[in-house]
Amino acid sequence: MISAEGLRKVFYASRGLEVVAVKGATFSVDAGEVFGLLGPNGAGKTTLLRMLGTIITPTSGICRINGQITENAPDSIRKEIGFLSGNTKLYGRLTARELLRYFGRLYDMADPAIAIRTAELAELLQMHDFLDRRCEALSTGQTQKVSIARVILHDPKVLILDEPTLGLDIMTSRSILDFILLAKGRGHSIIFSTHHMSEADYLCDRVGLIYEGELMAVDEKAALLAGRGVNNLHDAFLSLVDERERQAS
Amino acid sequence: MRRRIVLTILKKELLDTIRDKRTLIMMVGVPIVLYPAMMIISMQAMLVQQTGMEDRTSKVAVMGEGAAQVKTWLKSVEKLEVSEPGDPAAALSSEEIDVLVKVEGNPEGVANGTGNVQIAIQFDGAEIDSRKASDRVEDGLRKVSEKLRDARLATAGLKPDFIEPLKLKTENVAPATKTTGTILGSVLPMLLILMIAVGAFYPAVDVTAGEKERGTFETLLSTPTTKSEIVTGKFLTVFALAMLVGLLNLTSMAATMAFMLNQLSSQLDKAIPVEIQFPPMAAVAMVLVMLPLSFFITAVMMCIAVFAKSFKEAQNYVTPFLMVLLFPAMLGSFPGVELTNATQFIPVTNVVLLFRELLTGSVTADQFFSVFMSTFAFALLALQFASWLFQREEVILSEDKGFPLSLNRKYFRPRASMGASMALGYFAILLIVLFYLASLVQQWDLIWGLFITQWVFLLAPTVLLLWFVKVDLKEALSLRRPPLAGLLGTVCMAASALPLLIQFDIYQNKVLPVPKEFEEAFAQLLSSGASNTGLFTLLFVVAFSPAVCEEVVFRGALLSGLRERLNPWVAMIAVGLLFGLFHLSIFRIVPTALLGMVLTYAVVRTGSLYTGILMHFINNAASILLATGSVQSWIDVSALEKDGLPAWALAGAAALFAVGVILVETGARNSRSPAPPRPQSD
């Protein structure tokens, strides 16, 4: 499970100019739950997820993965996390199989275990056709499948997925969304960000809306809709942003 | 650190590099195809020219009243042809003839056994053919002269020995290996360093900036590997490739060289009197020292390349380092520079010196050990630094602005500072300008030169550059009013810094004595400057101008740029060090760096450049007043230099300094200006 308490990230641009990318986010994701992080580009989704994935350290606040505070042992905690974002690309000069073997070893897996797992994942994600092709020669959809395989290779309990369906066609998107549901069924804690409200509708138990670095609402989907008096996430989001803009002016 | 993980990374990076055609061609293609081809072609061209020159007949013209006699003498000389141009002088300069002989007097009597005549041989020293012709004429005429001399001696009943009481003969007893060693020793180490650097270049860029550019760094960071495992794995890859390419290059060069020598001797039809012999122990020692050297070069290159966000940008950063690397390498190949207690600790230079002495066979185990260890220590330091850089998320994940790609100002976005990489680049340019232009104008006229250096070479380009890249001047240069407490604190710090620095100088003088000439030249500058131009002018040029111009550069442009990347305390140290380096003198590096740090501290904490200007002015002005003797009446400077400051004065200065710091801090807390960001915890 994932829990965040008052996570805050400040970047220093220049001469004391502080950019607060995430302004104190508090929420949690239970085992067997899919949490959707919704928000426009530049809202701070990626920064928040990077903190959860221990890629960067929070300026303040505490983040726990399966009960362990990430800052205390960021390196070993990553064994329990599968992290995917637009910035986690693949090594173009390795084949998909070589790539999975490389990452398997980095996750301290033994070679036979890696081979078995690779075969399993090739079956699950339908990757047989391109398993021995270099990653630079793969299509966007194939690349994303290899990326997903890379993320779940070591069977992590926590999945952090930053816009996993970005730029994919409907078919591939669907297979990835189905895969997320599958992982949920197996008791994984999943947080995923998107700006497709429909995907969130389809997958999520609870959602968080983030806007200009601020996590504005975290709630059960139904409760959120009821509270806002609207009938889809899209409207809920817009009404929250409107309200905030009004308060600001 | 887990060895298995490091090895996994090493293996993958090697595979990755080998599969990259670009890297492969640069690393392997160039040494084994290009060098031999280039060398052999140029060798052939040289051979053709050489043989042509030997065969060509030289043309000579003779002037003067006794020309006829000299011509008959010259006709017997081989490969010499006497020609009769209309205007001999013009013919020589137009290369119609190769050499011109001027006979000054009449050689008639000489031929008959009495008197002598002066003969001038004019040639064009810039032309190989002309030099050759001159040699031929001189040899020919000397032989004639000797023949005539012997005839005269015979007439007088004397033997040729009569006029040669001492017979001199010089003999070079250096074994051929030593001679070759000296030649090889000055060329080979430089080549070797260059080869290692070339070998490290592409992989170093590829595993850092290349990985960033391809967007795979974050993937790697998401795995449970530690940063030091990543750095070590990547470092070992580059290191292995650097060594490999270095050796490959050397082998290729040696093979080409051997081939060429072979060909030369067969074509010139005689053996080349060069003995290429390598003492086997020297070869072993060289390979041993190559290890820490490659280690050092590799680590430094990775440190530089990791700052770039693309392959291309990294190439732009690392190329200057290649140039910088050649400086100490060249220093080591200067004649007269030897491996001493001091030079054996200068990185790169010491290796060059060691190689040279290894080849000439005069190295002690002790020297070898200190070179090896000091190089290794520097290498470790560099690797440690690389490791630290990899820990910094702002370096690894950053998207620094760097130099704007377009030079069209229209497309620039307004910014608050020039940024860290531009600041460092700009500093390097300033150093070069200072080195060449500033010393040039100061040689022409000292006072005007100093004035021009400050206002024209330092201030003007800095302000112009800041304007050009659309930096907010007021913001970048901290042009705000300082808090009153800060201002007072600055004055206290300035007043106390000078005696403390004087005391430091006295200490330093014991460890690193300043040469007398250096000290005297400096004193002379100030005193003669004062008497020639007046104290007021001197104060303006040596105190006020640097206070304004250097502060704008260092505490303004560079500080704001570096602070974009570094936290304020690290920036303080960095700016101080740059300030020390900037003074281009080993004796002033440490004190000026310390002063630079104090100045930076004041500007950072008061948020105002004016405090830096004030402090800098007080410091320089006080030094001038002391040195020119304007205040001699109440401070005995010479006694001070001998014994140092009395303890009470030092304690007083230290206390005043502390008061200054407290005042500045109070000012920083109370001021409205935004406090500098607190150092990030990590």
Side-chain angles (χ1 to χ4, degrees):
Chain A
M1 73 166 274
I2 308 168
S3 85
E5 282 167 41
L7 278 191
R8 201 176 127 83
K9 182 68 186 180
V10 180
F11 292 114
Y12 298 109
S14 59
R15 281 211 75 84
L17 200 75
E18 294 182 357
V19 179
V20 188
V22 174
K23 302 171 181 165
T26 302
F27 65 95
S28 68
V29 185
D30 283 330
E33 188 186 20
V34 180
F35 183 92
L37 193 60
L38 310 179
N41 294 331
K45 290 184 306 245
T46 300
T47 305
L48 179 56
L49 295 182
R50 273 180 170 177
M51 284 193 278
L52 299 178
T54 77
I55 306 290
I56 57 178
T57 40
T59 309
S60 62
I62 291 174
C63 172
R64 287 193 179 83
I65 297 289
N66 293 340
Q68 277 178 285
I69 296 177
T70 53
E71 258 188 284
N72 295 348
D75 297 322
S76 59
I77 263 174
R78 275 185 228 121
K79 262 188 203 176
E80 302 175 35
I81 305 174
F83 182 82
L84 174 81
S85 89
N87 299 313
T88 55
K89 300 217 169 66
L90 303 176
Y91 290 103
R93 296 175 214 146
L94 300 188
T95 67
R97 194 190 296 279
E98 285 168 343
L99 185 114
L100 292 177
R101 191 186 308 139
Y102 177 53
F103 280 96
R105 286 175 179 167
L106 292 184
Y107 281 105
D108 237 346
M109 294 165 73
D111 282 359
I114 297 173
I116 293 169
R117 183 75 176 142
T118 303
E120 249 173 62
L121 292 173
E123 189 61 44
L124 179 74
L125 294 161
Q126 308 275 299
M127 308 196 298
H128 292 293
D129 293 344
F130 50 88
L131 204 52
D132 289 304
R133 218 184 293 163
R134 283 201 196 176
C135 291
E136 60 197 356
L138 301 181
S139 72
T140 316
Q142 291 168 333
T143 304
Q144 196 66 348
K145 282 183 175 178
V146 179
S147 279
I148 294 280
R150 196 263 307 154
V151 168
I152 57 172
L153 183 69
H154 55 295
D155 201 17
K157 285 280 158 283
V158 168
L159 292 180
I160 300 169
L161 311 173
D162 189 8
E163 305 197 353
T165 57
L166 192 70
L168 299 182
D169 60 47
I170 308 173
M171 299 295 293
T172 325
S173 292
R174 190 52 184 256
S175 71
I176 283 172
L177 295 183
D178 285 341
F179 155 77
I180 294 175
L181 280 181
L182 189 78
K184 172 191 171 177
R186 296 178 54 187
H188 294 282
S189 309
I190 301 154
I191 178 164
F192 96 108
S193 77
T194 180
H195 48 240
H196 294 304
M197 301 296 167
S198 58
E199 288 182 359
D201 244 349
Y202 178 67
L203 284 179
C204 300
D205 308 295
R206 290 190 307 148
V207 289
L209 301 183
I210 190 167
Y211 183 67
E212 290 184 347
E214 204 174 314
L215 193 57
M216 296 191 301
V218 176
D219 215 334
E220 299 273 340
K221 209 163 53 192
L224 187 71
L225 296 182
R228 293 270 118 198
V230 290
N231 52 17
N232 62 48
L233 279 172
H234 199 265
D235 292 344
F237 184 72
L238 288 178
S239 93
L240 259 169
V241 171
D242 281 347
E243 187 184 301
R244 194 171 173 283
E245 298 282 295
R246 266 200 308 278
Q247 281 168 359
S249 65
Chain B
M1 207 184 314
R2 294 160 296 173
R3 210 174 55 197
R4 182 168 166 255
I5 299 292
V6 172
L7 282 178
T8 302
I9 295 176
L10 168 66
K11 263 192 260 172
K12 180 254 153 197
E13 294 290 358
L14 279 176
L15 181 71
D16 210 347
T17 310
I18 287 165
R19 282 187 183 169
D20 181 20
K21 283 195 204 86
R22 182 172 44 177
T23 314
L24 211 59
I25 289 171
M26 281 311 291
M27 284 187 344
V28 184
V30 169
I32 60 177
V33 179
L34 201 61
Y35 291 151
M38 267 171 43
M39 273 179 159
I40 288 167
I41 289 172
S42 61
M43 194 72 214
Q44 292 295 339
M46 222 173 74
L47 266 179
V48 167
Q49 212 209 351
Q50 185 92 22
T51 33
M53 196 183 68
E54 283 294 335
D55 291 341
R56 208 173 297 134
T57 307
S58 308
K59 284 188 180 153
V60 59
V62 187
M63 279 170 78
E65 49 176 318
Q69 176 62 59
V70 175
K71 279 179 196 163
T72 49
W73 286 335
L74 286 176
K75 270 179 190 147
S76 61
V77 180
E78 261 180 46
K79 288 182 186 167
L80 206 60
E81 180 193 311
V82 179
S83 64
E84 314 276 351
D87 180 356
L92 180 62
S93 56
S94 67
E95 293 173 36
E96 199 182 307
I97 56 169
D98 297 310
V99 65
L100 173 59
V101 176
K102 281 184 175 171
V103 187
E104 289 155 13
N106 195 343
E108 204 106 340
V110 176
N112 297 331
T114 53
N116 46 24
V117 67
Q118 196 155 351
I119 297 175
I121 304 167
Q122 290 189 340
F123 67 102
D124 180 349
E127 292 294 330
I128 271 190
D129 283 338
S130 185
R131 286 204 301 267
K132 187 86 201 164
S134 159
D135 287 347
R136 283 172 179 163
V137 169
E138 201 184 334
D139 280 351
L141 291 180
R142 177 165 294 125
K143 275 186 195 133
V144 172
S145 178
E146 279 167 6
K147 222 191 243 147
L148 291 173
R149 180 194 69 194
D150 290 352
R152 286 184 191 188
L153 288 169
T155 321
L158 298 169
K159 285 190 173 155
D161 280 356
F162 179 75
I163 55 161
E164 204 174 6
L166 302 180
K167 285 204 164 193
L168 300 180
K169 198 173 146 196
T170 53
E171 238 178 278
N172 183 0
V173 295
T177 45
K178 193 170 174 186
T179 326
T180 350
T182 327
I183 301 167
L184 271 183
S186 52
V187 182
L188 201 64
M190 286 249 291
L191 275 179
L192 196 66
I193 288 169
L194 202 64
M195 293 300 124
I196 292 173
V198 167
F201 193 107
Y202 278 86
V205 169
D206 197 52
V207 301
T208 52
E211 174 134 32
K212 257 194 205 177
E213 187 178 13
R214 294 187 291 269
T216 50
F217 229 135
E218 204 166 322
T219 324
L220 188 57
L221 294 180
S222 74
T223 63
T225 40
T226 64
K227 303 290 191 303
S228 38
E229 283 162 352
I230 295 176
V231 175
T232 313
K234 283 177 178 291
F235 162 76
L236 285 176
T237 312
V238 184
F239 176 68
L241 290 169
M243 286 291 288
L244 188 77
V245 173
L247 289 174
L248 201 65
N249 271 295
L250 263 191
T251 322
S252 148
M253 212 161 266
T256 315
M257 207 94 101
F259 175 75
M260 275 177 1
L261 282 175
N262 228 328
Q263 219 181 22
L264 252 182
S265 35
S266 70
Q267 290 207 359
L268 292 183
D269 219 12
K270 58 185 170 196
I272 303 293
V274 198
E275 210 175 310
I276 304 286
Q277 207 182 25
F278 238 59
M281 273 316 288
V284 173
M286 271 172 82
V287 173
L288 271 179
V289 178
M290 242 175 90
L291 287 168
L293 183 70
S294 312
F295 186 165
F296 175 71
I297 293 175
T298 301
V300 175
M301 275 194 180
M302 280 176 66
C303 289
I304 299 172
V306 76
F307 275 104
K309 59 180 188 296
S310 70
F311 203 94
K312 238 193 184 134
E313 194 186 341
Q315 275 177 294
N316 293 341
Y317 293 171
V318 181
T319 311
F321 170 67
L322 276 182
M323 312 276 176
V324 171
L325 205 60
L326 284 183
F327 265 131
M330 255 154 49
L331 182 68
S333 61
F334 283 158
V337 181
E338 293 200 332
L339 206 56
T340 62
N341 285 339
T343 52
Q344 67 194 9
F345 295 109
I346 306 176
V348 184
T349 303
N350 58 4
V351 175
V352 175
L353 290 173
L354 182 79
F355 281 0
R356 195 172 71 188
E357 313 221 339
L358 274 171
L359 288 170
T360 53
S362 53
V363 175
T364 63
D366 208 32
Q367 283 174 321
F368 175 78
F369 186 72
S370 34
V371 170
F372 187 89
M373 284 319 287
S374 71
T375 306
F376 188 65
F378 276 115
L380 266 185
L381 218 63
L383 184 63
Q384 211 50 48
F385 184 62
S387 200
W388 178 78
L389 283 178
F390 271 70
Q391 308 268 1
R392 316 280 309 182
E393 60 197 39
E394 68 270 32
V395 174
I396 292 291
L397 301 172
S398 78
E399 277 147 37
D400 182 52
K401 293 175 205 76
F403 285 95
L405 279 176
S406 158
L407 280 180
N408 191 339
R409 190 164 182 268
K410 195 166 77 191
Y411 299 122
F412 295 172
R413 262 195 271 155
R415 39 163 105 188
S417 83
M418 58 166 71
S421 41
M422 199 193 284
L424 286 177
Y426 181 58
F427 174 74
I429 294 170
L430 275 186
L431 261 192
I432 295 166
V433 166
L434 194 75
F435 197 72
Y436 290 105
L437 288 181
S439 40
L440 205 71
V441 290
Q442 284 168 28
Q443 226 154 42
W444 158 69
D445 184 287
L446 191 63
I447 295 295
W448 271 107
L450 285 170
F451 176 80
I452 291 173
T453 304
Q454 291 293 339
W455 296 92
V456 181
F457 294 158
L458 286 180
L459 186 72
T462 307
V463 173
L464 216 64
L465 176 69
L466 289 176
W467 167 82
F468 184 72
V469 297
K470 289 194 184 165
V471 169
D472 180 351
L473 280 184
K474 210 173 158 218
E475 192 49 37
L477 301 183
S478 310
L479 300 178
R480 339 185 166 80
R481 234 181 37 207
L484 187 64
L487 203 62
L488 284 176
T490 311
V491 175
C492 293
M493 286 170 73
S496 52
L498 188 67
L500 292 175
L501 283 174
I502 289 178
Q503 184 66 26
F504 178 85
D505 271 346
I506 293 165
Y507 283 137
Q508 182 184 270
N509 221 343
K510 285 184 187 142
V511 188
L512 183 78
V514 180
K516 267 260 148 46
E517 301 79 34
F518 184 85
E519 220 170 26
E520 276 163 10
F522 191 65
Q524 181 113 35
L525 148 76
L526 291 174
S527 59
S528 76
S531 58
N532 290 343
T533 57
L535 188 62
F536 180 76
T537 314
L538 198 65
L539 279 176
F540 179 78
V541 172
V542 188
F544 181 72
S545 301
V548 173
C549 306
E550 288 178 10
E551 285 315 296
V552 165
V553 174
F554 284 90
R555 258 58 66 179
L558 297 184
L559 176 63
S560 60
L562 289 177
R563 275 187 67 184
E564 215 164 80
R565 247 332 148 66
L566 304 172
N567 85 42
W569 302 100
V570 180
M572 243 174 245
I573 294 171
V575 171
L577 286 178
L578 293 184
F579 189 62
L581 273 179
F582 178 76
H583 287 80
L584 289 177
S585 154
I586 188 154
F587 306 108
R588 290 177 68 196
I589 279 184
V590 182
T592 38
L594 288 175
L595 179 66
M597 288 175 205
V598 174
L599 285 165
T600 317
Y601 166 80
V603 173
V604 168
R605 296 305 286 170
T606 59
S608 162
L609 188 73
Y610 299 125
T611 54
I613 294 178
L614 181 67
M615 194 193 257
H616 200 146
F617 177 75
I618 293 176
N619 180 74
N620 284 21
S623 312
I624 292 170
L625 293 178
L626 275 179
T628 53
S630 310
V631 287
Q632 208 88 346
S633 46
W634 49 279
I635 297 179
D636 186 358
V637 180
S638 57
L640 223 168
E641 270 165 13
K642 210 166 72 219
D643 313 319
L645 289 168
W648 60 264
L650 279 180
L656 188 60
F657 192 82
V659 170
V661 171
I662 292 168
L663 279 171
V664 167
E665 288 298 319
T666 324
R669 219 158 296 135
N670 296 341
S671 95
R672 280 190 310 112
S673 66
R678 292 164 57 77
Q680 251 177 290
S681 58
D682 54 8

